Amino acid sequence: MITDSALMNTYARQDVAFTGGEGAWLVDERGERYLDFSSGIGVTSLGHGHPAVVGALMEQAGRLWHCSNNVRIPLQELAARRLVDHSFAEKVFFCNSGGEAMEAALKLARYTQKKLGNPDRWRTIVFEGAFHGRTLATVTAGGQPKYTGGFEPLVDGFDRARFNDLASVEALIGPQTAAIMLEPIMGEGGVRVAEPAFMQGLRGLCDRHGLLLILDEVQTGIGRTGRLFAHEGQFAGTGMRPDIVATAKGLGAGFPVGACLAVGPAATAFTPGVHGTTFGGNPLAMAVAGAVLDQVLAPGFLTRVQEVGELLERRLRNLQAAFPALIQEVRGRGLMRGLRLIVPPPDLVRAALAQRLLLVGAGDNTVRLLPPLIIGEAEVELAVEKLFQALRTLT
Ligand SMILES: *Cc1c(COP(=O)(O)O)cnc(C)c1O
């Protein structure tokens, strides 16, 4: 391990470095192979070195990387059209990261309320245990002391309710409330799934009080749960939809790109000059995002994510039955799964790493399993075998 690093000390890194990867596998400096059930925290949605995505990037790299948003970018138009055609949304704004997509969503909610003639509505109801990014506004929105401590004074305008507790939300709605914002499945917060009745209740509250429903699908979006967006599952059969959705992680499959999608008044609130980005939606990013969407929207792709996700869930429930003193609960949807543990999560992450299996820690005493969406049944079985061995070392 390098001890005299020139890097700022922002991560307690595991002592492993990767030099290559293929599909669900990573290779370290010594040539050891690891099964990647972290996907770089839900990012490499198509695994490592996906030929279609590599091809799109290489081709665009030789053509044109960047031009400003002061000119038309046909690839950006195309990617937006793809997202709109396959989602609730009418319009898209592209940026470079999840935090930026969330900033855009928050600014858009305030701006839309102003345009609707409600200048006093600027506060957002958020949730205990949430995670929305590391900018000053988004750490405030997340509100976890481990991320906000030392950065005070924080951004004003957030009121905090309890997840899956509709009454706690209703009690916070006031004349200044502009929006309600949540992750349909908390990622960093421990793979806690918002119950469909709760999500639908929030939509009802928004309709009744003139609020915008913002969903943070930075981690859950782009196929992670077996739907293009996770809320499609929670709203299924109701005709309900969010007003604003932020997404990012899986959209570039490893290339930095984010997006803020909107419908209704929020879709048309922004006008030239109001919001912007230098890098967001540049041709290189859009070529990659377009190639990712080609794969994720291909017939049968999302159905397969659901099927493999259900296999993973069944196997995790078997593990829970085998290790009741270690695993308290199996959580999640699709290929976003969590194990709520009785032992400290870093212990299992470390034990799994020793078995050459990469997991991701999370809050609420949980570890996350976020394999690439292209994972096969055999790789699920192998991961579960490695997990079994890792859990055995913790008994
Ligand atoms: C990762 C994440 C973010 C922040 O994304 P960055 O790209 O790190 O800025 C925001 N919200 C959720 C739910 C996330 O998982």
Side-chain angles (χ1 to χ4, degrees), residues 233-315:
Q234 286 137 323
F235 285 157
T238 65
M240 293 179 180
R241 55 192 191 179
D243 297 290
I244 301 171
V245 166
T247 194
K249 287 191 165 87
L251 180 57
F255 196 94
V257 50
C260 177
L261 297 77
V263 71
T268 51
F270 282 164
T271 49
V274 166
H275 189 61
T277 165
T278 299
F279 296 110
N282 82 10
L284 199 50
M286 293 295 101
V288 174
V292 171
L293 289 172
D294 282 345
Q295 298 299 314
V296 173
L297 294 171
F301 185 95
L302 291 172
T303 310
R304 241 197 87 67
V305 171
Q306 287 171 23
E307 287 165 3
V308 179
E310 279 158 23
L311 172 68
L312 177 58
E313 182 185 21
R314 285 197 300 277
R315 293 294 182 266

Side-chain angles (χ1 to χ4, degrees), residues 1 48 64 270 330 341 352 364:
M1 175 109 73
H48 304 283
L64 177 68
F270 282 164
V330 177
L341 300 177
D364 201 29

Side-chain angles (χ1 to χ4, degrees), residues 97-100 102 131-134 183 188 216 218-219 248-249:
S97 68
E100 275 178 284
M102 290 304 301
F131 182 83
H132 298 298
R134 301 300 199 114
E183 301 153 82
E188 218 278 334
D216 179 347
V218 169
Q219 190 164 152
K249 287 191 165 87

Side-chain angles (χ1 to χ4, degrees), residues 20 348 383:
L348 181 57

Side-chain angles (χ1 to χ4, degrees), residues 16-362:
V16 60
F18 298 111
T19 53
E22 190 183 350
W25 294 89
L26 278 166
V27 182
D28 76 5
E29 295 166 311
R30 292 164 305 177
E32 293 274 355
R33 284 159 54 83
Y34 295 71
L35 188 51
D36 186 3
F37 267 51
S38 68
S39 299
I41 318 190
V43 168
T44 48
S45 50
L46 298 176
H48 304 283
H50 190 289
V53 181
V54 172
L57 182 120
M58 300 293 267
E59 197 188 320
Q60 191 60 38
R63 200 189 304 268
L64 177 68
W65 295 23
H66 180 83
C67 55
S68 82
N69 277 300
N70 294 325
V71 300
R72 288 193 301 109
I73 303 177
L75 285 168
Q76 192 181 121
E77 290 284 347
L78 212 62
R81 177 59 54 198
R82 301 291 303 284
L83 284 170
V84 164
D85 284 348
H86 290 88
S87 76
F88 76 101
E90 290 170 345
K91 301 280 182 186
V92 183
F93 172 83
F94 286 106
C95 52
N96 313 288
S97 68
E100 275 178 284
M102 290 304 301
E103 284 278 343
L106 284 164
K107 285 180 71 179
L108 180 57
R110 287 191 182 188
Y111 203 80
T112 303
Q113 290 289 9
K114 294 256 182 345
K115 278 211 147 174
L116 289 171
N118 308 312
D120 296 335
R121 290 195 178 276
W122 60 281
R123 303 188 67 85
T124 303
I125 295 175
V126 292
F127 291 87
E128 288 173 5
F131 182 83
H132 298 298
R134 301 300 199 114
T135 68
L136 206 43
T138 58
V139 283
T140 310
Q144 298 191 47
K146 63 179 171 180
Y147 297 134
T148 56
F151 296 113
E152 302 85 355
L154 300 174
V155 176
D156 199 1
F158 295 100
D159 303 301
R160 199 164 307 280
R162 283 185 301 276
F163 200 62
N164 279 329
D165 180 347
L166 200 61
S168 77
V169 180
E170 194 160 13
L172 288 177
I173 297 173
Q176 294 188 321
T177 308
I180 299 172
M181 181 169 94
L182 75 159
E183 301 153 82
I185 303 175
M186 283 189 176
E188 218 278 334
V191 196
R192 289 169 65 195
V193 181
E195 288 156 15
F198 175 64
M199 286 273 285
Q200 294 165 25
L202 292 179
R203 179 70 267 176
L205 286 179
C206 286
D207 292 343
R208 225 169 324 131
H209 295 274
L211 314 179
L212 296 161
L213 182 61
I214 306 173
L215 297 181
D216 179 347
E217 296 231 27
V218 169
Q219 190 164 152
T220 53
I222 318 298
R224 177 53 58 189
T225 67
R227 310 249 187 181
L228 187 60
F229 291 105
H231 71 259
E232 294 165 15
Q234 286 137 323
F235 285 157
T238 65
M240 293 179 180
R241 55 192 191 179
D243 297 290
I244 301 171
V245 166
T247 194
K249 287 191 165 87
L251 180 57
F255 196 94
V257 50
C260 177
L261 297 77
V263 71
T268 51
F270 282 164
T271 49
V274 166
H275 189 61
T277 165
T278 299
F279 296 110
N282 82 10
L284 199 50
M286 293 295 101
V288 174
V292 171
L293 289 172
D294 282 345
Q295 298 299 314
V296 173
L297 294 171
F301 185 95
L302 291 172
T303 310
R304 241 197 87 67
V305 171
Q306 287 171 23
E307 287 165 3
V308 179
E310 279 158 23
L311 172 68
L312 177 58
E313 182 185 21
R314 285 197 300 277
R315 293 294 182 266
L316 294 177
R317 292 199 187 286
N318 294 346
L319 282 179
Q320 184 191 9
F323 297 98
L326 297 178
I327 301 172
Q328 190 175 74
E329 196 185 330
V330 177
R331 296 173 167 176
R333 294 283 181 276
L335 287 173
M336 178 172 186
R337 299 287 171 178
L339 294 175
R340 182 153 205 261
L341 300 177
I342 296 158
V343 292
D347 289 2
L348 181 57
V349 172
R350 212 173 302 119
L353 186 67
Q355 301 294 328
R356 306 285 183 258
L357 173 69
L358 293 167
L359 304 176
V360 197

